[in-house]
Amino acid sequence: MESTFSSPAEAALQREAGVPGQFTPSEDLDRVYELERVTKFVCDLGCQRVALQFPDQLLGDAEAVAARLEEVTGSKMFILGDTAYGSCCVDVLGAEQAGAQALVHFGPACLSPPASQLPITFVLGQRPVALELCAKAFEAQNPDPTAPVVLLSEPACSHALEPLAALLRSKYKDLLISSPALPVPAGSPSSQPESLERFGRRFPLNPGRRLEEYGAFYVGAFQASSDPNLDLDLSRLLLGWTPGRPFFSCCPDTGETQDQGAKAERLRARRLYLIERARDARVVGLLAGTLGVARHIDALAHLRKLTDAAGKRSYVLALGKPTPAKLANFPEMDVFVLLACPLGALALQQSGGFFQPVLTPCELEAACNPAWPPPGLAPHLTHYAELLPGSPFHVPLPPPESDLWDIPDVSLISGELRPPPPCKSSEDTRCSALTPRPPLELAESSPAASFLSSRSWQGLEPRLGQTPVKEAVRGRRGVAIAYEDEGSTL
Protein backbone atom coordinates (compact mmCIF):
# COMPACT_ATOMS: atom_id res chain seq x y z
CA MET A 1 0.00 0.00 0.00
CA GLU A 2 2.89 2.35 0.71
CA SER A 3 4.09 2.25 -2.90
CA THR A 4 0.64 3.45 -4.01
CA PHE A 5 1.16 6.83 -2.38
CA SER A 6 4.95 7.26 -2.46
CA SER A 7 8.18 5.40 -3.10
CA PRO A 8 9.23 2.84 -0.46
CA ALA A 9 11.30 4.13 2.44
CA GLU A 10 14.12 1.72 1.56
CA ALA A 11 14.57 3.43 -1.82
CA ALA A 12 15.94 6.57 -0.15
CA LEU A 13 18.48 4.51 1.80
CA GLN A 14 19.57 2.36 -1.12
CA ARG A 15 19.80 5.11 -3.74
CA GLU A 16 23.36 5.96 -4.70
CA ALA A 17 24.54 9.53 -5.14
CA GLY A 18 25.59 9.67 -8.76
CA VAL A 19 24.96 7.16 -11.55
CA PRO A 20 27.59 4.37 -11.67
CA GLY A 21 29.59 4.33 -14.87
CA GLN A 22 28.80 7.94 -15.79
CA PHE A 23 31.60 9.74 -13.94
CA THR A 24 33.37 12.33 -16.05
CA PRO A 25 37.00 11.43 -16.82
CA SER A 26 39.51 13.52 -14.93
CA GLU A 27 40.95 15.04 -18.10
CA ASP A 28 37.47 16.31 -19.14
CA LEU A 29 36.49 17.97 -15.85
CA ASP A 30 37.88 21.38 -16.84
CA ARG A 31 35.91 21.42 -20.09
CA VAL A 32 32.62 19.92 -18.87
CA TYR A 33 32.36 22.03 -15.71
CA GLU A 34 34.08 25.16 -17.09
CA LEU A 35 36.46 25.22 -14.14
CA GLU A 36 38.54 28.01 -15.62
CA ARG A 37 35.55 30.36 -15.67
CA VAL A 38 34.47 29.26 -12.20
CA THR A 39 38.00 29.84 -10.89
CA LYS A 40 38.00 33.37 -12.30
CA PHE A 41 34.58 34.01 -10.72
CA VAL A 42 35.82 32.93 -7.27
CA CYS A 43 39.16 34.73 -7.48
CA ASP A 44 37.63 38.00 -8.72
CA LEU A 45 35.31 38.06 -5.73
CA GLY A 46 38.02 36.99 -3.29
CA CYS A 47 35.67 34.44 -1.67
CA GLN A 48 37.03 32.09 0.99
CA ARG A 49 33.89 29.93 1.29
CA VAL A 50 31.97 28.88 -1.84
CA ALA A 51 28.92 26.62 -2.19
CA LEU A 52 28.73 24.22 -5.13
CA GLN A 53 25.19 23.07 -6.00
CA PHE A 54 24.82 19.85 -8.02
CA PRO A 55 21.66 18.03 -9.20
CA ASP A 56 21.34 14.34 -8.39
CA GLN A 57 22.65 13.15 -11.76
CA LEU A 58 25.91 15.13 -11.35
CA LEU A 59 26.72 14.28 -7.72
CA GLY A 60 29.15 11.60 -8.88
CA ASP A 61 31.55 14.34 -10.04
CA ALA A 62 30.97 16.70 -7.11
CA GLU A 63 33.90 15.53 -5.00
CA ALA A 64 36.41 15.72 -7.87
CA VAL A 65 35.17 19.17 -8.94
CA ALA A 66 35.32 20.54 -5.38
CA ALA A 67 38.84 19.16 -4.83
CA ARG A 68 40.07 20.66 -8.12
CA LEU A 69 38.62 24.08 -7.29
CA GLU A 70 40.02 24.05 -3.75
CA GLU A 71 43.46 23.23 -5.13
CA VAL A 72 43.37 26.04 -7.71
CA THR A 73 41.62 28.81 -5.74
CA GLY A 74 42.63 28.01 -2.17
CA SER A 75 39.03 28.57 -1.06
CA LYS A 76 36.86 26.20 0.95
CA MET A 77 34.19 24.46 -1.16
CA PHE A 78 30.86 23.15 0.20
CA ILE A 79 28.77 20.66 -1.82
CA LEU A 80 25.01 21.26 -1.77
CA GLY A 81 23.58 17.91 -2.80
CA ASP A 82 20.10 18.10 -1.27
CA THR A 83 17.90 21.08 -2.02
CA ALA A 84 14.78 22.02 -0.07
CA TYR A 85 12.51 22.12 -3.13
CA GLY A 86 14.06 21.67 -6.60
CA SER A 87 17.53 21.41 -8.06
CA CYS A 88 16.74 23.89 -10.86
CA CYS A 89 16.53 26.78 -8.36
CA VAL A 90 19.60 28.15 -6.62
CA ASP A 91 19.66 27.05 -2.97
CA VAL A 92 20.64 30.39 -1.49
CA LEU A 93 19.30 29.40 1.93
CA GLY A 94 21.55 26.35 2.14
CA ALA A 95 24.52 28.39 0.94
CA GLU A 96 23.94 31.12 3.50
CA GLN A 97 23.54 28.58 6.30
CA ALA A 98 26.95 27.17 5.36
CA GLY A 99 28.43 30.67 5.54
CA ALA A 100 29.22 30.72 1.82
CA GLN A 101 30.16 33.99 0.19
CA ALA A 102 29.22 32.86 -3.33
CA LEU A 103 27.37 30.02 -5.04
CA VAL A 104 28.07 28.05 -8.22
CA HIS A 105 25.08 26.24 -9.74
CA PHE A 106 25.81 23.28 -12.05
CA GLY A 107 23.34 21.71 -14.46
CA PRO A 108 19.94 22.80 -15.85
CA ALA A 109 18.49 25.86 -14.15
CA CYS A 110 15.19 27.73 -14.29
CA LEU A 111 17.14 31.02 -13.98
CA SER A 112 14.47 32.50 -11.70
CA PRO A 113 15.69 35.67 -9.94
CA PRO A 114 16.97 34.67 -6.48
CA ALA A 115 15.66 36.28 -3.32
CA SER A 116 19.19 36.90 -2.02
CA GLN A 117 21.98 39.18 -3.21
CA LEU A 118 24.50 36.35 -2.90
CA PRO A 119 26.87 36.32 -5.93
CA ILE A 120 25.86 33.42 -8.21
CA THR A 121 27.23 31.95 -11.41
CA PHE A 122 25.73 29.18 -13.54
CA VAL A 123 27.43 26.32 -15.37
CA LEU A 124 24.75 25.10 -17.74
CA GLY A 125 26.91 22.53 -19.53
CA GLN A 126 27.85 22.20 -23.20
CA ARG A 127 26.04 19.41 -24.97
CA PRO A 128 27.46 18.61 -28.43
CA VAL A 129 25.35 19.93 -31.30
CA ALA A 130 25.53 18.77 -34.93
CA LEU A 131 25.35 22.22 -36.50
CA GLU A 132 25.08 21.10 -40.13
CA LEU A 133 22.24 18.67 -39.38
CA CYS A 134 20.37 21.26 -37.32
CA ALA A 135 20.80 23.89 -40.06
CA LYS A 136 19.33 21.53 -42.68
CA ALA A 137 16.44 20.70 -40.35
CA PHE A 138 15.78 24.42 -39.83
CA GLU A 139 15.65 25.05 -43.58
CA ALA A 140 13.31 22.10 -44.10
CA GLN A 141 10.83 23.38 -41.51
CA ASN A 142 11.09 27.06 -42.50
CA PRO A 143 10.92 27.28 -46.31
CA ASP A 144 9.92 30.96 -46.23
CA PRO A 145 13.10 33.05 -45.74
CA THR A 146 11.07 36.13 -44.76
CA ALA A 147 9.12 34.49 -41.92
CA PRO A 148 10.19 35.67 -38.43
CA VAL A 149 11.71 32.81 -36.41
CA VAL A 150 13.46 32.74 -33.03
CA LEU A 151 16.15 30.19 -32.14
CA LEU A 152 15.68 28.55 -28.73
CA SER A 153 17.52 25.75 -26.99
CA GLU A 154 17.78 23.78 -23.80
CA PRO A 155 20.31 25.32 -21.38
CA ALA A 156 23.14 22.93 -22.30
CA CYS A 157 22.83 23.78 -26.02
CA SER A 158 22.75 27.58 -25.69
CA HIS A 159 26.44 27.80 -26.61
CA ALA A 160 25.61 26.54 -30.15
CA LEU A 161 22.90 29.06 -31.07
CA GLU A 162 25.24 31.75 -32.36
CA PRO A 163 27.25 29.31 -34.58
CA LEU A 164 23.95 27.88 -35.84
CA ALA A 165 22.63 31.34 -36.61
CA ALA A 166 25.85 32.13 -38.54
CA LEU A 167 24.97 29.30 -40.95
CA LEU A 168 21.44 30.64 -41.47
CA ARG A 169 21.75 34.43 -41.49
CA SER A 170 22.69 34.64 -45.18
CA LYS A 171 19.28 33.20 -46.12
CA TYR A 172 17.00 34.23 -43.25
CA LYS A 173 16.78 37.95 -42.67
CA ASP A 174 14.42 38.00 -39.66
CA LEU A 175 16.20 35.53 -37.38
CA LEU A 176 16.16 36.16 -33.63
CA ILE A 177 18.61 34.43 -31.27
CA SER A 178 17.70 33.96 -27.63
CA SER A 179 20.22 33.66 -24.81
CA PRO A 180 19.97 32.50 -21.16
CA ALA A 181 18.89 35.28 -18.81
CA LEU A 182 21.88 34.91 -16.50
CA PRO A 183 21.84 37.32 -13.55
CA VAL A 184 23.80 40.52 -14.09
CA PRO A 185 26.03 41.52 -11.15
CA ALA A 186 24.87 44.65 -9.35
CA GLY A 187 26.48 47.79 -10.69
CA SER A 188 27.61 46.27 -13.99
CA PRO A 189 26.13 47.69 -17.21
CA SER A 190 23.87 45.36 -19.19
CA SER A 191 25.15 44.38 -22.61
CA GLN A 192 21.59 44.21 -24.00
CA PRO A 193 19.57 46.97 -22.35
CA GLU A 194 16.67 46.65 -24.80
CA SER A 195 16.27 42.87 -24.55
CA LEU A 196 12.95 41.35 -23.59
CA GLU A 197 13.27 38.83 -20.76
CA ARG A 198 10.82 35.93 -20.67
CA PHE A 199 10.96 32.16 -20.05
CA GLY A 200 14.38 32.54 -18.41
CA ARG A 201 15.78 33.90 -21.67
CA ARG A 202 16.59 37.23 -23.28
CA PHE A 203 15.28 38.21 -26.71
CA PRO A 204 17.01 41.19 -28.44
CA LEU A 205 13.94 42.42 -30.30
CA ASN A 206 14.18 45.20 -32.86
CA PRO A 207 12.15 48.37 -32.20
CA GLY A 208 8.51 47.88 -33.08
CA ARG A 209 8.64 44.08 -33.07
CA ARG A 210 6.84 41.78 -30.62
CA LEU A 211 7.74 38.25 -29.58
CA GLU A 212 4.18 37.14 -30.38
CA GLU A 213 4.98 37.56 -34.08
CA TYR A 214 7.70 34.90 -34.14
CA GLY A 215 7.66 31.17 -34.70
CA ALA A 216 10.10 29.03 -32.72
CA PHE A 217 12.82 26.47 -33.46
CA TYR A 218 13.97 24.67 -30.32
CA VAL A 219 17.29 22.79 -30.21
CA GLY A 220 17.43 20.16 -27.50
CA ALA A 221 15.56 17.47 -25.56
CA PHE A 222 14.72 14.13 -27.24
CA GLN A 223 16.33 11.01 -25.79
CA ALA A 224 19.86 12.22 -25.05
CA SER A 225 19.24 12.98 -21.37
CA SER A 226 17.03 11.51 -18.68
CA ASP A 227 16.81 14.79 -16.77
CA PRO A 228 13.09 15.65 -16.46
CA ASN A 229 13.88 19.37 -16.18
CA LEU A 230 14.68 19.44 -19.91
CA ASP A 231 11.16 18.31 -20.83
CA LEU A 232 9.76 20.81 -18.32
CA ASP A 233 11.71 23.60 -19.97
CA LEU A 234 10.17 22.70 -23.33
CA SER A 235 6.70 22.45 -21.77
CA ARG A 236 7.15 25.88 -20.23
CA LEU A 237 7.91 27.35 -23.66
CA LEU A 238 5.02 25.53 -25.35
CA LEU A 239 2.54 26.69 -22.72
CA GLY A 240 3.65 30.31 -22.92
CA TRP A 241 4.22 30.59 -26.68
CA THR A 242 1.67 32.41 -28.79
CA PRO A 243 -1.06 29.98 -29.96
CA GLY A 244 -1.11 29.50 -33.71
CA ARG A 245 2.57 30.24 -34.25
CA PRO A 246 4.74 27.31 -35.47
CA PHE A 247 6.94 25.60 -32.91
CA PHE A 248 9.44 22.87 -33.92
CA SER A 249 11.98 21.03 -31.80
CA CYS A 250 15.21 19.55 -33.15
CA CYS A 251 17.39 16.81 -31.69
CA PRO A 252 20.95 18.24 -31.47
CA ASP A 253 22.49 14.83 -32.12
CA THR A 254 20.60 13.66 -35.20
CA GLY A 255 18.84 16.75 -36.56
CA GLU A 256 15.45 15.00 -36.31
CA THR A 257 12.58 17.45 -35.88
CA GLN A 258 9.14 17.27 -34.31
CA ASP A 259 6.15 19.57 -34.61
CA GLN A 260 5.19 20.49 -31.05
CA GLY A 261 1.85 22.06 -31.94
CA ALA A 262 -0.21 19.09 -30.75
CA LYS A 263 1.61 18.94 -27.41
CA ALA A 264 1.11 22.68 -26.94
CA GLU A 265 -2.63 22.28 -27.49
CA ARG A 266 -2.79 19.50 -24.89
CA LEU A 267 -0.98 21.67 -22.35
CA ARG A 268 -3.36 24.58 -22.97
CA ALA A 269 -6.40 22.29 -22.77
CA ARG A 270 -5.20 20.98 -19.42
CA ARG A 271 -4.76 24.55 -18.21
CA LEU A 272 -8.36 25.35 -19.13
CA TYR A 273 -9.51 22.27 -17.21
CA LEU A 274 -7.51 23.30 -14.14
CA ILE A 275 -8.98 26.80 -14.31
CA GLU A 276 -12.47 25.30 -14.22
CA ARG A 277 -11.52 23.18 -11.22
CA ALA A 278 -10.23 26.30 -9.45
CA ARG A 279 -13.49 28.16 -10.16
CA ASP A 280 -15.49 25.30 -8.66
CA ALA A 281 -13.25 25.05 -5.59
CA ARG A 282 -14.38 26.40 -2.22
CA VAL A 283 -11.20 25.61 -0.27
CA VAL A 284 -7.74 26.26 -1.75
CA GLY A 285 -4.45 25.01 -0.32
CA LEU A 286 -1.54 27.36 -1.04
CA LEU A 287 1.68 25.30 -1.05
CA ALA A 288 4.87 27.21 -0.23
CA GLY A 289 7.17 25.63 -2.81
CA THR A 290 10.06 28.06 -2.74
CA LEU A 291 11.91 30.30 -0.33
CA GLY A 292 14.79 31.25 -2.59
CA VAL A 293 13.00 32.87 -5.56
CA ALA A 294 12.47 36.61 -5.48
CA ARG A 295 9.08 38.08 -4.48
CA HIS A 296 7.63 34.81 -3.21
CA ILE A 297 6.23 36.59 -0.13
CA ASP A 298 4.49 39.20 -2.32
CA ALA A 299 3.11 36.42 -4.51
CA LEU A 300 1.70 34.56 -1.50
CA ALA A 301 -0.07 37.70 -0.31
CA HIS A 302 -1.42 38.22 -3.83
CA LEU A 303 -2.84 34.69 -3.99
CA ARG A 304 -4.55 35.07 -0.61
CA LYS A 305 -6.11 38.32 -1.78
CA LEU A 306 -7.34 36.58 -4.94
CA THR A 307 -9.04 33.77 -3.03
CA ASP A 308 -10.63 36.17 -0.55
CA ALA A 309 -12.03 38.31 -3.34
CA ALA A 310 -13.52 35.25 -5.06
CA GLY A 311 -15.19 34.08 -1.85
CA LYS A 312 -12.89 31.09 -1.33
CA ARG A 313 -11.14 30.02 1.86
CA SER A 314 -7.38 29.52 1.59
CA TYR A 315 -4.85 27.77 3.82
CA VAL A 316 -1.08 28.17 3.56
CA LEU A 317 0.81 24.87 3.81
CA ALA A 318 4.61 24.55 4.18
CA LEU A 319 5.38 20.90 3.40
CA GLY A 320 8.75 20.97 1.66
CA LYS A 321 8.60 18.94 -1.55
CA PRO A 322 4.90 18.03 -2.06
CA THR A 323 4.10 14.34 -2.50
CA PRO A 324 0.76 12.54 -2.90
CA ALA A 325 1.10 11.09 0.61
CA LYS A 326 1.58 14.54 2.16
CA LEU A 327 -1.30 16.20 0.32
CA ALA A 328 -3.62 13.28 1.08
CA ASN A 329 -3.61 14.47 4.70
CA PHE A 330 -5.73 17.45 3.64
CA PRO A 331 -8.88 15.95 2.06
CA GLU A 332 -10.90 19.10 2.71
CA MET A 333 -8.88 20.97 0.06
CA ASP A 334 -10.57 21.13 -3.33
CA VAL A 335 -7.42 22.20 -5.19
CA PHE A 336 -3.81 23.00 -4.36
CA VAL A 337 -1.77 25.88 -5.78
CA LEU A 338 2.00 25.46 -5.80
CA LEU A 339 3.95 28.68 -5.40
CA ALA A 340 7.26 27.70 -7.01
CA CYS A 341 9.46 28.46 -9.99
CA PRO A 342 7.92 27.71 -13.43
CA LEU A 343 9.69 24.36 -13.77
CA GLY A 344 8.83 23.28 -10.23
CA ALA A 345 5.17 24.18 -10.63
CA LEU A 346 4.84 22.27 -13.91
CA ALA A 347 6.67 19.24 -12.51
CA LEU A 348 3.82 18.32 -10.15
CA GLN A 349 1.20 18.69 -12.86
CA GLN A 350 3.01 16.15 -15.04
CA SER A 351 3.94 13.75 -12.25
CA GLY A 352 0.33 12.69 -11.46
CA GLY A 353 -0.77 10.54 -8.54
CA PHE A 354 -2.38 13.37 -6.56
CA PHE A 355 -5.93 13.07 -5.23
CA GLN A 356 -6.67 16.72 -5.98
CA PRO A 357 -5.23 18.76 -8.86
CA VAL A 358 -2.16 20.92 -8.29
CA LEU A 359 -2.34 24.30 -10.05
CA THR A 360 0.08 27.08 -10.82
CA PRO A 361 -0.56 30.64 -9.60
CA CYS A 362 -1.38 31.71 -13.17
CA GLU A 363 -4.34 29.31 -13.27
CA LEU A 364 -5.65 30.61 -9.96
CA GLU A 365 -5.39 34.16 -11.30
CA ALA A 366 -7.49 33.26 -14.34
CA ALA A 367 -10.07 31.55 -12.10
CA CYS A 368 -10.46 34.24 -9.42
CA ASN A 369 -9.90 37.51 -11.27
CA PRO A 370 -12.95 38.34 -13.46
CA ALA A 371 -10.93 40.99 -15.32
CA TRP A 372 -8.49 38.35 -16.59
CA PRO A 373 -7.13 37.96 -19.26
CA PRO A 374 -6.07 41.46 -20.28
CA PRO A 375 -6.86 42.47 -23.87
CA GLY A 376 -3.98 42.08 -26.29
CA LEU A 377 -1.76 40.02 -24.01
CA ALA A 378 -1.23 36.27 -24.10
CA PRO A 379 -2.83 34.69 -21.02
CA HIS A 380 -0.51 31.68 -21.08
CA LEU A 381 1.92 32.80 -18.38
CA THR A 382 4.22 30.49 -16.45
CA HIS A 383 5.88 32.53 -13.67
CA TYR A 384 4.06 34.05 -10.70
CA ALA A 385 6.18 37.21 -10.89
CA GLU A 386 4.36 38.13 -14.11
CA LEU A 387 1.13 38.47 -12.13
CA LEU A 388 2.42 40.96 -9.57
CA PRO A 389 2.30 44.77 -9.75
CA GLY A 390 5.06 46.14 -11.96
CA SER A 391 4.66 43.46 -14.61
CA PRO A 392 3.00 44.32 -17.96
CA PHE A 393 0.71 41.32 -17.42
CA HIS A 394 -0.58 42.49 -14.01
CA VAL A 395 -4.35 43.02 -13.94
CA PRO A 396 -5.77 44.61 -10.77
CA LEU A 397 -8.89 43.14 -9.21
CA PRO A 398 -12.08 45.02 -10.18
CA PRO A 399 -13.58 47.25 -7.48
CA PRO A 400 -16.28 45.65 -5.28
CA GLU A 401 -19.05 47.56 -7.04
CA SER A 402 -17.99 46.36 -10.50
CA ASP A 403 -20.53 44.40 -12.53
CA LEU A 404 -17.84 41.87 -13.43
CA TRP A 405 -18.43 40.12 -10.10
CA ASP A 406 -22.14 39.61 -10.91
CA ILE A 407 -21.76 37.98 -14.35
CA PRO A 408 -23.48 34.55 -14.25
CA ASP A 409 -21.06 31.69 -14.61
CA VAL A 410 -21.76 28.02 -15.28
CA SER A 411 -19.33 25.27 -14.39
CA LEU A 412 -18.16 23.32 -17.44
CA ILE A 413 -17.44 20.32 -15.18
CA SER A 414 -20.58 19.97 -13.07
CA GLY A 415 -22.97 22.01 -15.23
CA GLU A 416 -24.18 23.95 -12.19
CA LEU A 417 -24.53 27.71 -11.90
CA ARG A 418 -21.76 29.23 -9.81
CA PRO A 419 -23.03 31.78 -7.28
CA PRO A 420 -21.33 35.19 -7.12
CA PRO A 421 -18.79 35.74 -4.35
CA PRO A 422 -20.55 36.30 -1.00
CA CYS A 423 -18.17 39.15 -0.17
CA LYS A 424 -17.01 41.32 -3.03
CA SER A 425 -14.52 43.33 -1.03
CA SER A 426 -11.40 41.52 0.09
CA GLU A 427 -10.66 44.43 2.42
CA ASP A 428 -13.72 43.80 4.61
CA THR A 429 -12.59 41.17 7.07
CA ARG A 430 -15.83 41.39 9.09
CA CYS A 431 -17.89 39.66 6.41
CA SER A 432 -18.27 35.95 7.15
CA ALA A 433 -20.80 33.22 6.53
CA LEU A 434 -23.00 32.10 9.43
CA THR A 435 -24.49 28.67 9.95
CA PRO A 436 -27.50 28.04 12.24
CA ARG A 437 -27.04 25.35 14.87
CA PRO A 438 -29.87 23.18 16.27
CA PRO A 439 -30.27 25.12 19.54
CA LEU A 440 -30.82 28.28 17.47
CA GLU A 441 -27.27 29.44 18.01
CA LEU A 442 -25.18 31.20 15.37
CA ALA A 443 -21.56 30.27 14.76
CA GLU A 444 -19.06 31.19 12.08
CA SER A 445 -18.68 28.33 9.62
CA SER A 446 -15.37 27.21 8.18
CA PRO A 447 -14.83 25.02 5.11
CA ALA A 448 -12.96 22.48 7.22
CA ALA A 449 -15.87 22.19 9.66
CA SER A 450 -18.36 21.97 6.82
CA PHE A 451 -16.32 19.20 5.23
CA LEU A 452 -16.20 17.31 8.51
CA SER A 453 -19.97 17.59 8.99
CA SER A 454 -20.56 16.08 5.54
CA ARG A 455 -18.56 12.93 6.29
CA SER A 456 -20.34 9.75 7.34
CA TRP A 457 -17.74 9.03 10.05
CA GLN A 458 -16.66 12.02 12.12
CA GLY A 459 -14.55 10.33 14.78
CA LEU A 460 -15.37 9.11 18.28
CA GLU A 461 -18.23 10.94 19.97
CA PRO A 462 -18.38 11.37 23.77
CA ARG A 463 -22.22 10.93 23.91
CA LEU A 464 -22.30 12.36 27.44
CA GLY A 465 -25.34 11.20 29.42
CA GLN A 466 -26.51 8.86 26.65
CA THR A 467 -24.45 5.77 27.56
CA PRO A 468 -25.59 3.70 30.57
CA VAL A 469 -23.06 3.20 33.36
CA LYS A 470 -21.82 -0.40 33.73
CA GLU A 471 -19.62 -2.01 36.35
CA ALA A 472 -16.08 -2.64 35.26
CA VAL A 473 -15.20 -6.26 34.59
CA ARG A 474 -11.85 -8.01 34.58
CA GLY A 475 -10.36 -8.42 31.13
CA ARG A 476 -8.21 -11.14 29.67
CA ARG A 477 -4.60 -11.51 30.73
CA GLY A 478 -1.54 -12.42 28.73
CA VAL A 479 -0.35 -11.68 25.18
CA ALA A 480 -2.46 -11.84 22.07
CA ILE A 481 -0.84 -15.03 20.83
CA ALA A 482 -1.76 -16.96 24.00
CA TYR A 483 -4.08 -15.55 26.65
CA GLU A 484 -4.07 -17.27 30.06
CA ASP A 485 -7.62 -18.59 29.78
CA GLU A 486 -7.10 -20.15 26.36
CA GLY A 487 -4.94 -23.04 27.53
CA SER A 488 -2.32 -24.79 25.51
CA THR A 489 -2.89 -25.29 21.79
CA LEU A 490 -0.17 -27.94 21.43
Side-chain angles (χ1 to χ4, degrees), residues 255-274:
E256 180 185 355
T257 59
Q258 290 183 356
D259 187 354
Q260 299 291 341
K263 182 178 179 180
E265 290 298 328
R266 290 195 299 269
L267 291 172
R268 298 188 188 107
R270 176 169 176 78
R271 166 159 284 190
L272 294 177
Y273 165 75
L274 294 177

Side-chain angles (χ1 to χ4, degrees), residues 182 184-185 187-195 197 202:
L182 300 175
V184 179
S188 61
S190 175
S191 58
Q192 297 177 334
E194 302 299 329
S195 296
E197 188 170 323
R202 292 191 177 95

Side-chain angles (χ1 to χ4, degrees), residues 227-239:
D227 187 359
N229 284 333
L230 300 182
D231 185 62
L232 293 175
D233 179 65
L234 178 58
S235 298
R236 175 190 183 185
L237 288 167
L238 292 176
L239 187 59

